């Protein structure tokens, strides 16, 4: 296989006995089918995002898909490489990229992100089947670095509760009626009803985050043990978290649709159940075990709160659920980490891979000020995929356990 | 599954594997027909695994059905017997489906031939007294089997007397008859189990006595309930158990059927003998009974002629050495849609280059595939979807092995245990990129040896 052209090496059919020795029949599914079905499954969270966030999400998605397809075509024409498997993978990359972008992104963000996804993420490695990092996330990372200011995903979806009117919080007046179909971002002079992402609110529990203004939500120090429930009071309800009527990127908020589409992928055998389960379980475990610093009025840490040690288990559970559902962890677990080329092949390797993604994503979300913790975790673990593949491979039938440790 | 029908300890299935469309509907209900003796046969001198035979007849010599025409001194070899009455011709040469060039003894049929119901009665019909087992000593059984030129009739054609030879360092406690027939389309063993269960049971008892096995199981896939029923009826009152296993490809492989029935794992690089098991095909068992009780050599076998590309699919009892062309013609010829004629099944069989090639002892079927069956897209890059890893019944990593083979990286191939591959083809079947995985692995196995 040539690394640069991505073309299968020409082999002499007679030399390797193709068409002479079996199997002469093959399963009906081809890679094209795999891509198209994955594309259909990934369209479900995209549609949910368009319904929730309004037409701007549709515009972002259309730009993503269109520019991915066109940039791939342009690239292959310029480099004179033959495009493999049509453009189904470019469309898939476009949809996945759209899922990770905020609906308020200006038009040039999806274009540049698509260019990075297709060229840097995929084509320079040799195209489909050869890349190391999930291309859509390469594009998303580039967008996060290049357009940090324009990438603010902290807006409520159109259909969210209390989202009927735009308002000005200071003056207590209504600026605009949502029924004019303004789309998903507020007019210039409005701020009321525009809320923070749930993970940002939760991150406000830790110090030196004055910009996140969550400190105002904390009760006075003498009531501190009740601090987490008080913070929870500032969050959307759990039902809204599941339905997706919370701020976030286009495809990452609607957990129900993501899980249903992911279960379909598992049903079609495109995804092993071990991978999303490993991601979600490890993320939940880290969220439960990792300490949270509660900040006082002067922006200094005054207490360490251990969710798992909290007297009421229900509070800890609610806290962990909010941590899981906010940010892109669910989307990463089912769609981005599950991308076939950049994940380990075996179930064992995928469990380690998934556990790495889940715990890393949660640690980044807790302790590092980054807008895309889950996506960065996926990219980091993608780097380890070749190592996981060679270290963790199935034990050949008939070999004893730990055979390599035994004396020959 | 198996636990419900008998005392076998296994779960009745194995890890991984695939479910190809089995296509057995075409002739699973077709009675075995006795094909009239062909005008001429050509007996290849190498029809088995092991040393080739030397011809012991001269040109223009007359031979009768069952007369020995070739034999070898080597232990791992099997004698060859005339499958028709007639006159021997000058030694010829043919290319077997597996690509080997071998010498053949042509025999032109002359005089009266045994055919029709008389031939059936001679081979599988008539009485098979179960109490005759006591009359035969283990050594005599192995000797009779060797005299009869018996080889495994499942496909690999390993000489049977070698399996039955008692090896003091590796005691055998179980005889496992393999009636799984997991290859798609093929129904020869299925029909034999339905129509002639008595010689199979008797052969099992004799073979178990020869190799010293205490328990006997017959593994039958659960898509052949009529075969399991017939064997159970025939085995009533004997120590033979029928173990019904799940339908899955490649259940018929010995590394799959032994764990499925007996819960014993054959070590990598080892044989079922290493875990005290002898695995034998059901048709071989029937031939053992015939060789020991009736003293008749292996001259005929049941062959399925099937597939969507043949006019009238049939199960035939044919003389070994009959050209494929004669079988195809007897079944009404090829349809216009026919694309490939395969010796064996579509998963592990060989495409025939020449229909004049003779049937050998190991030929279990002829499958004629149509253009629709063999439709393949162009090969594309591997996207590492991992389906081959999930399909490999030996838990190998086919994609890595194929890449190592393509790059001629024999060291990498050895580190991933390329030699353990049984070439069942499950990986190539499932690959959505249409990479010829098992073909590349075969090249790699030869190269890394």
């Amino acid at each position: 296989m040539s690394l640069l052209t991505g073309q299968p090496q020409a082999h002499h059919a007679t030399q390797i006995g193709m068409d002479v020795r079996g199997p002469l029949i093959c399963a009906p599914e081809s890679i094209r089918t795999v891509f198209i079905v994955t594309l259909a499954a990934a369209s479900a969270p995209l549609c949910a995002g368009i319904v929730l966030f309004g037409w701007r999400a549709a515009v972002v998605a259309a730009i993503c898909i269109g520019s991915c397809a066109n940039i791939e075509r342009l690239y292959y024409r310029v480099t004179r490489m033959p495009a493999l498997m049509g453009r189904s993978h470019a469309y898939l990359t476009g949809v996945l990229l759209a899922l990770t972008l905020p609906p308020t992104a200006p038009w040039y963000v999806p274009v540049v992100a698509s260019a990075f996804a297709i060229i840097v993420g995929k084509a320079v490695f040799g195209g489909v089947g050869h890349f190391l990092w999930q291309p859509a996330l390469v594009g998303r990372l580039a967008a996060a670095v290049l357009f940090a200011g324009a990438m603010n995903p902290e807006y409520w979806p159109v259909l969210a509760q209390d989202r009927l009117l735009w308002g000005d919080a200071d003056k207590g007046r209504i600026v605009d009626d949502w029924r004019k179909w303004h789309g998903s971002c507020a007019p210039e002079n409005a701020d009321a009803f525009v809320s923070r992402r749930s993970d940002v609110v939760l991150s406000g529990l830790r110090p030196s985050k004055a910009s996140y203004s969550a400190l105002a939500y904390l009760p006075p120090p003498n009531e501190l043990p009740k601090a987490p429930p008080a913070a929870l009071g500032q969050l959307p309800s759990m039902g809204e978290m599941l339905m997706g009527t919370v701020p976030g990127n286009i495809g990452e908020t609607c957990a129900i649709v993501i899980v249903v589409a992911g279960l379909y992928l598992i049903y079609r055998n495109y995804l092993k159940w071990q991978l999303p389960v490993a991601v979600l379980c490890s993320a939940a475990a880290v969220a439960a075990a990792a300490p949270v610093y509660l900040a006082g009025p002067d922006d200094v840490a005054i207490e360490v709160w251990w969710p798992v040690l909290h007297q009421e288990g229900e509070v800890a559970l609610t806290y962990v659920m909010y941590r899981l559902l906010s940010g892109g962890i669910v989307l990463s677990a089912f769609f981005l980490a599950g991308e076939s080329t950049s994940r380990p092949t075996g179930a064992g390797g995928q469990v380690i891979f998934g556990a790495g993604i889940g715990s890393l994503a949660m640690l980044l979300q807790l302790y590092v000020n980054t807008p895309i913790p889950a996506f960065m975790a996926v990219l980091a673990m993608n780097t380890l995929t070749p190592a996981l593949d060679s270290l963790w491979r199935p034990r050949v039938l008939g070999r004893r356990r730990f055979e390599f440790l035994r004396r020959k | 599954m198996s636990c419900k029908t008998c005392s076998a300890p296994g779960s009745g299935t194995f890890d991984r594997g695939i479910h190809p469309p089995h296509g057995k509907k075409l002739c699973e209900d077709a009675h075995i027909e006795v094909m009239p003796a062909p005008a001429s046969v050509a007996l290849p001198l190498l029809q088995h695994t092991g040393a080739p035979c030397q011809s012991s007849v001269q040109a223009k010599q007359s031979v009768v059905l069952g007369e020995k025409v070739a034999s070898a001194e080597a232990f791992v070899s099997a004698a060859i017997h005339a499958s028709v009455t007639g006159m021997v011709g000058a030694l010829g040469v043919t290319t077997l489906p597996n690509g080997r060039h071998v010498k053949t003894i042509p025999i032109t049929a002359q005089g009266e031939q045994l055919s029709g119901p008389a031939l059936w009665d001679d081979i599988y019909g008539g009485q098979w007294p179960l109490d005759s087992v006591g009359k035969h000593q283990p050594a005599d059984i192995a000797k009779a089997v060797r005299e009869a030129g018996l080889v495994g009739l499942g496909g690999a054609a390993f000489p049977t007397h070698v399996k039955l030879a008692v090896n003091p360092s590796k005691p055998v406690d179980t005889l496992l008859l393999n009636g799984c027939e997991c290859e798609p389309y093929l129904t020869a063993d299925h029909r034999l189990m339905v129509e002639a269960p008595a010689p199979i049971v008797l052969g099992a008892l004799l073979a178990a006595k020869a190799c010293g096995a205490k328990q006997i199981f017959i593994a039958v896939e659960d898509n052949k309930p009529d075969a399991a029923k017939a064997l159970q009826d025939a085995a009533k009152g004997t120590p033979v158990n029928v173990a019904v296993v799940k339908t899955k490809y490649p259940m018929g492989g010995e590394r799959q059927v032994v764990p499925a029935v007996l819960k014993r794992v054959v070590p990598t690089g080892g044989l079922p003998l290493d875990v005290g098991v002898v695995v034998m095909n059901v048709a071989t068992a029937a031939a053992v009974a015939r060789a020991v009780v009736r003293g008749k050599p292996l001259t005929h076998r049941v062959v399925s002629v099937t597939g969507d590309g043949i006019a009238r699919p049939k199960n035939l009892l044919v003389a070994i050495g009959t050209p494929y062309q004669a079988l195809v013609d007897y079944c009404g010829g090829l349809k216009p849609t026919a694309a490939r004629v395969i010796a064996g099944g579509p998963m592990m069989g060989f495409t025939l280059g020449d229909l004049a090639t003779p049937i050998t002892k190991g030929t279990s079927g002829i499958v004629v595939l149509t253009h629709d069956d063999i439709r393949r897209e162009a090969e594309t890059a591997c996207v590492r979807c991992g389906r081959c890893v999930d399909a490999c019944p030996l838990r190998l990593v086919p994609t890595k092995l194929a890449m190592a083979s393509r790059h001629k990286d024999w060291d990498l191939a050895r580190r991933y245990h390329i030699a353990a591959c049984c070439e069942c083809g499950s990986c190539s079947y499932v690959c959505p990129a249409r990479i010829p995985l098992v073909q590349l692995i075969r090249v790699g196995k030869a190269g890394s040896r």
Side-chain angles (χ1 to χ4, degrees):
Chain A
M1 191 79 58
S2 158
L3 198 66
L4 281 178
T5 61
Q7 264 186 298
Q9 195 183 41
H11 42 246
H12 305 290
T14 48
Q15 193 186 326
I16 64 163
M18 263 190 87
D19 286 347
V20 177
R21 287 209 64 181
L24 292 138
I25 52 175
C26 57
E29 234 164 38
S30 71
I31 289 206
R32 229 181 118 73
T33 331
V34 174
F35 286 160
I36 289 171
V37 171
T38 316
L39 183 70
S43 304
L46 183 64
C47 291
I50 291 171
V51 169
L52 290 168
F53 288 102
W55 61 271
R56 291 194 59 151
V59 169
V60 170
I63 298 176
C64 277
I65 297 166
S67 40
C68 274
N70 283 305
I71 290 167
E72 172 152 313
R73 190 167 60 181
L74 203 66
Y75 183 87
Y76 283 119
R77 186 166 295 174
V78 168
T79 58
R80 300 190 181 173
M81 278 161 53
L84 293 169
M85 286 169 263
R87 274 186 288 286
S88 48
H89 191 261
Y91 293 132
L92 177 60
T93 307
V95 169
L96 290 179
L97 178 62
L99 294 180
T100 64
L101 286 171
T104 50
W107 66 269
Y108 50 86
V109 172
V111 173
V112 175
S114 301
F116 270 91
I118 293 295
I119 297 173
V120 181
K122 186 165 98 175
V124 294
F125 288 94
V128 174
H130 299 289
F131 46 81
L132 182 57
W133 295 286
Q134 153 68 283
L137 291 183
V138 172
R140 180 63 177 90
L141 183 67
V145 172
L146 294 176
F147 309 108
M151 299 291 282
N152 190 356
E154 299 176 10
Y155 294 94
W156 285 94
V158 180
L159 295 185
Q161 221 178 17
D162 303 333
R163 183 56 206 282
L164 290 175
L165 304 169
W166 293 111
D168 187 332
D170 293 338
K171 299 179 182 132
R173 69 183 176 88
I174 296 165
V175 174
D176 211 343
D177 190 330
W178 76 279
R179 273 172 292 241
K180 283 182 185 165
W181 202 252
H182 256 282
S184 36
C185 68
E188 289 290 310
N189 51 351
D191 58 0
F193 311 122
V194 177
S195 178
R196 298 283 173 191
R197 291 174 71 175
S198 34
D199 57 333
V200 177
V201 174
L202 287 164
S203 298
L205 290 168
R206 44 182 292 272
S208 58
K209 270 291 155 58
S211 60
Y212 280 170
S213 70
L215 299 176
Y217 299 141
L218 279 183
N222 55 354
E223 292 175 29
L224 257 181
K226 290 178 188 165
L232 294 180
Q234 304 301 321
L235 291 165
S237 73
M238 190 53 75
E240 285 185 272
M241 297 294 293
L242 290 168
M243 291 299 293
T245 53
V246 293
N249 296 316
I250 293 173
E252 75 182 18
T253 61
C254 190
I256 290 179
V257 170
I258 296 171
V259 170
V260 169
L263 289 178
Y264 177 67
L265 287 183
I266 292 171
Y267 162 73
R268 288 292 299 255
N269 239 338
Y270 295 172
L271 183 66
K272 288 189 185 51
W273 62 268
Q274 286 96 334
L275 178 55
V277 166
V279 173
L280 296 176
C281 288
S282 60
V286 171
V292 179
Y293 293 92
L294 300 184
D298 299 325
D299 201 10
V300 286
I302 49 173
E303 197 190 355
V304 177
W305 182 61
W306 298 84
V308 75
L309 296 180
H310 197 269
Q311 296 93 333
E312 298 165 64
E314 204 182 334
V315 172
L317 187 67
T318 317
Y319 168 81
V320 169
M321 283 300 285
Y322 273 106
R323 279 287 186 211
L324 277 187
L325 293 173
S326 61
I329 290 180
V330 180
L331 181 69
S332 300
F334 285 98
F335 282 96
L336 302 167
E339 204 280 332
S340 68
T341 305
S342 50
R343 73 183 178 201
T345 45
Q350 285 187 19
V351 168
I352 303 175
F353 178 74
I357 289 175
S359 44
L360 196 57
M362 192 52 74
L363 289 174
L364 288 173
Q365 193 172 311
L366 283 169
Y367 301 117
V368 180
N369 182 16
T370 163
I372 47 167
F375 305 155
M376 286 170 73
V378 174
L379 285 172
M381 289 307 290
N382 282 347
T383 319
L384 296 183
T385 292
L388 288 175
D389 255 345
S390 74
L391 289 176
W392 196 278
R393 49 194 201 227
R395 182 167 54 90
V396 176
L397 185 74
R399 284 174 68 82
R400 293 173 299 176
R401 280 173 208 285
F402 306 112
E403 183 110 351
F404 60 96
L405 293 178
R406 292 170 197 264
R407 199 164 55 172
K408 292 286 181 304
Chain B
M1 199 62 191
S2 66
C3 308
K4 284 182 198 160
T5 50
C6 73
S7 55
S11 64
T13 186
F14 62 93
D15 204 13
R16 309 188 183 203
I18 56 170
H19 296 277
H22 60 73
K24 294 190 192 263
K25 283 275 174 287
L26 284 169
C27 64
E28 68 182 356
D29 296 322
H31 281 273
I32 299 175
E33 278 182 46
V34 181
M35 192 177 147
S40 68
V41 296
L43 299 170
L45 290 178
L46 180 63
Q47 306 186 18
H48 48 263
T49 309
C53 294
Q54 298 297 321
S55 170
S56 57
V57 289
Q58 303 295 322
K60 299 196 177 171
Q61 181 182 338
S62 288
V63 290
V64 294
L65 174 67
E67 191 176 330
K68 190 189 277 186
V69 294
S71 59
E73 291 293 311
F75 182 62
V76 184
S77 185
I80 292 162
H81 302 77
S83 57
V84 291
T85 303
M87 186 184 279
V88 175
L91 280 184
V93 164
T94 189
T95 308
L96 293 180
N98 61 12
R100 290 190 75 151
H101 296 277
V102 292
K103 287 182 182 160
T104 58
I105 303 175
I107 304 176
T108 314
Q110 283 178 351
E112 201 174 320
Q113 304 288 342
L114 197 60
S115 67
L119 184 63
W120 174 261
D121 283 344
D122 183 57
I123 295 179
Y124 292 122
Q127 294 301 309
W128 298 95
L130 293 176
D131 51 5
S132 64
V133 177
K135 289 188 288 189
H136 302 282
Q137 294 305 311
D140 298 343
I141 296 172
K143 192 155 172 282
V145 165
R146 186 171 185 185
E147 281 301 308
L150 256 182
V151 302
L153 298 180
F158 190 74
T160 305
H161 65 93
V162 182
K163 277 190 187 175
L164 295 184
V166 176
N167 182 346
S169 66
K170 285 176 181 168
V172 171
D173 64 355
T174 307
L175 174 75
L176 180 56
L177 286 202
N178 189 347
C180 296
E181 199 164 49
C182 58
E183 273 273 1
Y185 293 101
L186 301 187
T187 51
D189 288 352
H190 180 185
R191 287 313 303 176
L192 189 66
M193 287 187 282
V194 172
E195 294 181 35
I200 294 174
V201 171
L202 180 56
L205 293 170
L206 290 166
K209 185 162 187 186
C211 63
K214 301 284 175 298
Q215 47 179 354
I216 306 168
F217 291 102
I218 306 182
V220 183
E221 281 188 344
D222 58 7
N223 61 355
K224 308 176 192 47
D226 49 346
K229 178 82 174 44
L231 286 171
Q232 268 160 357
D233 291 346
K236 214 160 270 173
T238 67
V240 177
N241 296 298
V242 178
V244 178
V245 294
K246 291 240 168 66
T247 303
K248 201 181 200 183
Y249 182 85
M251 183 58 93
E254 55 190 19
R255 278 161 205 282
Q256 282 71 48
V257 74
V258 171
V261 176
L262 299 170
K263 215 176 178 178
R264 299 181 195 173
V265 178
V266 182
T268 307
L271 292 170
L273 197 61
D274 295 328
V275 289
V277 184
V278 168
V279 182
M280 189 185 271
N281 183 271
V282 283
T284 317
V288 168
R290 183 165 180 258
V292 175
V293 176
R294 299 188 179 172
K296 295 284 178 64
L298 179 66
T299 54
H300 289 71
R301 66 158 298 146
V302 182
V303 174
S304 302
V305 185
T306 178
D308 291 310
I310 192 108
R312 293 192 295 275
K314 283 176 182 177
N315 296 301
L316 298 174
L317 181 67
V318 297
I320 287 161
T322 310
Y324 282 87
Q325 185 70 57
L327 275 77
V328 170
D329 290 346
Y330 188 75
C331 293
L334 304 177
K335 287 186 191 168
T337 51
R340 294 269 190 288
V341 181
I342 301 166
M347 294 299 291
M348 291 183 78
F350 298 86
T351 303
L352 279 175
D354 180 7
L355 285 182
T357 312
I359 297 276
T360 62
K361 293 174 181 175
T363 307
S364 49
I366 305 174
V367 180
V368 184
L369 294 180
T370 62
H371 286 286
D372 286 346
D373 294 328
I374 59 161
R375 190 185 63 240
R376 264 180 189 264
E377 293 93 347
E379 183 190 342
T380 49
C382 171
V383 295
R384 296 165 28 81
C385 62
R387 275 168 207 224
C388 51
V389 183
D390 295 338
C392 181
L394 294 170
R395 294 202 292 251
L396 297 166
V397 187
T399 169
K400 200 87 178 173
L401 294 175
M403 288 303 148
S405 168
R406 194 169 257 172
H407 292 299
K408 300 194 168 45
D409 189 347
W410 308 137
D411 187 47
L412 182 68
R414 274 191 289 268
R415 268 189 284 133
Y416 277 80
H417 306 289
I418 196 167
C421 174
C422 66
E423 304 180 18
C424 67
S426 300
C427 48
S428 287
Y429 175 82
V430 295
C431 180
R434 312 302 187 213
I435 298 171
L437 291 164
V438 74
Q439 287 90 341
L440 286 167
I441 292 172
R442 277 190 204 114
V443 174
K445 275 176 86 168
S448 62
R449 205 167 277 149

